[in-house]
Amino acid sequence: MKNFRLFFVFFFFGLLGFSQISKIHYVPPLTANDQQQGNAGSIPYGQYLYLSTPSTQPVSGTITILSTGTQIAFSTLSTTPLRNDNPLTYEIVPQTAGAAAAMNKELFVDPDDTANSTGIQVLKAGLLVEADCPIYVSVRYYAGAQSGALTSKGIAALGTEFRTGMFMNGSQSQENGSYDGATSQTLNFFSVMATENNTIVEVELPNAASILLGGRTNSYTYSGGGKIQKTLQQYESIILAQDFRNAQNNSGDRFGLIGALVKSVDVLGNKDSSKPVVVNTGSASGTLAANGGGHDHGVDQIVGIDRVGHEYIFVRANGEDGSNYELETPLVIAAQDGTEIYIGSDTSPTTTLNAGEPLLISSSLYSKQSPGGTMYVKTQNQDFKLFAYQGVGGNGSDRRNQGMFFVPPLNEEAQDDVDNIADIEDVGGITFGGGISLVSKVSATVTVSDDTGNITLPSPETVDGKSDYHAYNIPNLEGEVKVVSDEDLYVNYYGFSGTAAIGGFYSGFTIPPDPVIAPS
């Protein structure tokens, strides 16, 4: 009987314990350029937390605002408890609150707040979500004519080594970005939260020679080649931001924060697995377009090097690409020197990357230049891992409408169904056109449903170079979305409204736990 109980515990946690559906979710703070130009500014006026669960029974829990210690019980958000048929939304900041409230440290930190610098100052901000049953957590926010979103990876977010990705704000061949200057709204950043006391966070910036970290008026000069180290207590964070209103950030160091190496280390500088950290990264705002203007927010929560891989399948969303801009572009970051990049069925590498070096892959390499096109990207073997990001467009050819999310690797252990994506069309009462992209084995049986019932799947798109997988793009979904597969499954949602786009993966980051279980 005891052995049976141990097997059951192992089986349960193999399904739920190391996936982004989790009982605990860490949301490190975000930041944004506080430049505001009419309706096209970057200030995140409306900020919302979406909670959903596969549980048909009521789920209890709390949301902790880490800057104040205030706890909000799930039961105060609705007269009906959180359960599968009743996702909940927590309004962090309403759209009517104004700029000061938008950057009040509940979620967002003002890069020009001298008391809470986004240079290298330690601060307490962001959110902690705890529940008595596994749940999904996603952040969505609206910023004038822009928007952003991230999906929490739950326990899978904890790691000891990461590589950051964000919008490149111009082509890699340009000396200057297209979006610099005193009135620029472009900002790249990443934030790191400790989950244990006395956590030493170490940061290296391999693509920076000399940049200003922080905001326009409150900044810290980083000279290349050195390491940044900060000791954090539980739930404390640091945010490193690169504001492109600072002219120093518009030279060859435009990519200064891309490919940053973030580690949790001990006093000797060795990785410290006993003190994992959580990382959010992205741009608020910026663009993947090489020329032609346009910008939006693209942020996500990422996972550590032990949960990334060497094979990826990217699926186009609804954006189109023009002659001088590409929005539907994969961005990969090498984890080590000598990483060869292969695309599709190519037998010769497209290029070879060094550790921290980014590659923005042309959208012309998708299987088709329309929604649902696929692209397979791999390295020479599993010892050469990639951190993979994807730029997406949500609304045809509007180059201002783009988002970015972190992409899971192919992993046959990733067998979590998605039940469910909450209110796929909603960002704080504003309606977004909602859809999903999914990747599955050709041999898998997949079903998709939303508030209208079961969805008839379109014809799948084949994957050049990985013929045992195929992909679907399913637009115009409503309400709560459920996806079930009998094999590994990778599901992301996307949405768009005017010039604003959002998105993120709800499945694919599963890794089985270490099969060591303490005796009961």
Side-chain angles (χ1 to χ4, degrees):
M1 186 67 179
K2 179 179 178 180
N3 290 336
F4 176 80
R5 289 199 304 268
L6 292 179
F7 171 78
F8 179 79
V9 169
F10 174 78
F11 176 77
F12 178 78
F13 280 98
L15 292 177
L16 298 177
F18 284 73
S19 143
Q20 63 194 82
I21 181 171
S22 177
K23 291 184 178 182
I24 185 166
H25 294 264
Y26 305 88
V27 184
L30 307 178
T31 190
N33 185 310
D34 58 3
Q35 180 73 27
Q36 184 72 17
Q37 297 177 349
N39 291 325
S42 293
I43 298 175
Y45 285 115
Q47 304 165 27
Y48 307 90
L49 200 65
Y50 288 77
L51 312 177
S52 57
T53 180
S55 174
T56 58
Q57 300 301 310
V59 177
S60 299
T62 58
I63 301 165
T64 302
I65 301 170
L66 295 175
S67 59
T68 63
T70 303
Q71 289 192 330
I72 297 97
F74 293 176
S75 60
T76 65
L77 304 180
S78 170
T79 56
T80 305
L82 174 64
R83 61 187 184 219
N84 183 248
D85 63 351
N86 190 58
L88 297 181
T89 303
Y90 170 57
E91 184 178 71
I92 304 168
V93 175
Q95 295 185 48
T96 57
M103 302 284 197
N104 67 0
K105 291 206 305 175
E106 288 192 24
L107 179 58
F108 276 83
V109 173
D110 188 339
D112 283 321
D113 182 352
T114 56
N116 298 289
S117 169
T118 55
I120 56 171
Q121 183 169 321
V122 174
L123 55 91
K124 209 161 191 180
L127 304 169
L128 176 69
V129 183
E130 299 171 287
D132 62 1
C133 186
I135 64 172
Y136 300 98
V137 172
S138 67
V139 171
R140 303 175 198 171
Y141 63 89
Y142 202 74
Q146 304 173 15
S147 61
L150 68 84
T151 55
S152 168
K153 306 307 184 288
I155 296 299
L158 275 64
T160 55
E161 181 180 334
F162 303 79
R163 291 280 181 178
T164 61
M166 52 206 71
F167 287 153
M168 300 188 75
N169 305 307
S171 71
Q172 288 169 282
S173 62
Q174 289 177 303
E175 179 180 355
N176 296 304
S178 302
Y179 313 97
D180 56 357
T183 60
S184 171
Q185 298 162 52
T186 305
L187 179 143
N188 287 347
F189 79 97
F190 62 88
S191 56
V192 186
M193 179 186 288
T195 63
E196 301 290 341
N197 286 329
N198 300 313
T199 298
I200 303 173
V201 174
E202 181 178 275
V203 176
E204 296 180 54
L205 305 179
N207 298 311
S210 180
I211 60 176
L212 293 178
L213 299 174
R216 178 84 183 280
T217 61
N218 183 37
S219 58
Y220 163 82
T221 301
Y222 169 84
S223 296
K227 298 179 180 179
I228 297 171
Q229 276 197 358
K230 285 289 180 180
T231 299
L232 307 180
Q233 303 308 313
Q234 188 178 46
Y235 308 140
E236 289 183 337
S237 299
I238 57 171
I239 305 175
L240 275 70
Q242 186 179 18
D243 191 325
F244 286 80
R245 291 174 295 176
N246 293 316
Q248 188 172 344
N249 290 333
N250 295 306
S251 63
D253 285 338
R254 279 188 304 111
F255 308 143
L257 295 186
I258 298 175
L261 176 60
V262 179
K263 296 194 294 184
S264 172
V265 300
D266 60 23
V267 293
L268 298 177
N270 301 311
K271 285 197 297 185
D272 188 353
S273 59
S274 70
K275 294 183 171 64
V277 297
V278 180
V279 177
N280 288 342
T281 186
S283 302
S285 63
T287 184
L288 283 169
N291 300 292
H295 60 96
D296 206 339
H297 289 231
V299 301
D300 207 353
Q301 185 169 105
I302 64 177
V303 301
I305 193 168
D306 57 330
R307 288 178 168 82
V308 300
H310 80 292
E311 293 184 283
Y312 292 86
I313 294 174
F314 300 91
V315 184
R316 285 188 68 117
N318 275 22
E320 298 175 6
D321 298 318
S323 60
N324 67 342
Y325 62 91
E326 291 181 293
L327 306 181
E328 295 279 349
T329 45
L331 171 68
V332 295
I333 313 290
Q336 68 183 73
D337 293 347
T339 299
E340 298 173 356
I341 305 298
Y342 297 81
I343 299 175
S345 56
D346 290 349
T347 56
S348 298
T350 297
T351 190
T352 300
L353 303 177
N354 288 324
E357 187 176 356
L359 176 65
L360 190 63
I361 303 174
S362 173
S363 61
S364 65
L365 298 177
Y366 276 107
S367 61
K368 62 182 182 181
Q369 304 305 299
S370 57
T374 62
M375 188 192 307
Y376 173 56
V377 178
K378 69 175 182 178
T379 69
Q380 61 266 50
N381 61 56
Q382 61 187 5
D383 294 328
F384 292 83
K385 295 184 176 183
L386 292 173
F387 287 77
Y389 300 81
Q390 182 178 345
V392 295
N395 191 21
S397 60
D398 194 325
R399 70 194 68 174
R400 298 167 295 177
N401 182 302
Q402 57 188 298
M404 185 190 76
F405 44 70
F406 194 59
V407 180
L410 294 184
N411 175 6
E412 292 190 355
E413 300 293 341
Q415 297 195 10
D416 278 354
D417 298 331
V418 177
D419 188 13
N420 53 44
I421 301 172
D423 298 317
I424 194 169
E425 300 172 288
D426 183 66
V427 179
I430 296 174
T431 299
F432 278 54
I436 64 169
S437 296
L438 70 89
V439 173
S440 71
K441 284 283 187 69
V442 171
S443 57
T445 299
V446 178
T447 60
V448 178
S449 61
D450 68 358
D451 281 2
T452 67
N454 288 334
I455 304 298
T456 300
L457 298 181
S459 297
E461 183 73 7
T462 60
V463 181
D464 179 36
K466 199 68 174 175
S467 59
D468 53 335
Y469 283 85
H470 59 195
Y472 299 89
N473 179 69
I474 307 171
N476 304 318
L477 296 175
E478 301 177 13
E480 280 67 69
V481 175
K482 178 179 179 179
V483 186
V484 176
S485 172
D486 58 357
E487 298 191 52
D488 50 316
L489 179 68
Y490 313 87
V491 178
N492 73 269
Y493 85 101
Y494 61 86
F496 57 89
S497 175
T499 58
I502 59 173
F505 270 85
Y506 265 74
S507 73
F509 291 103
T510 303
I511 282 187
D514 185 339
V516 176
I517 302 175
S520 59

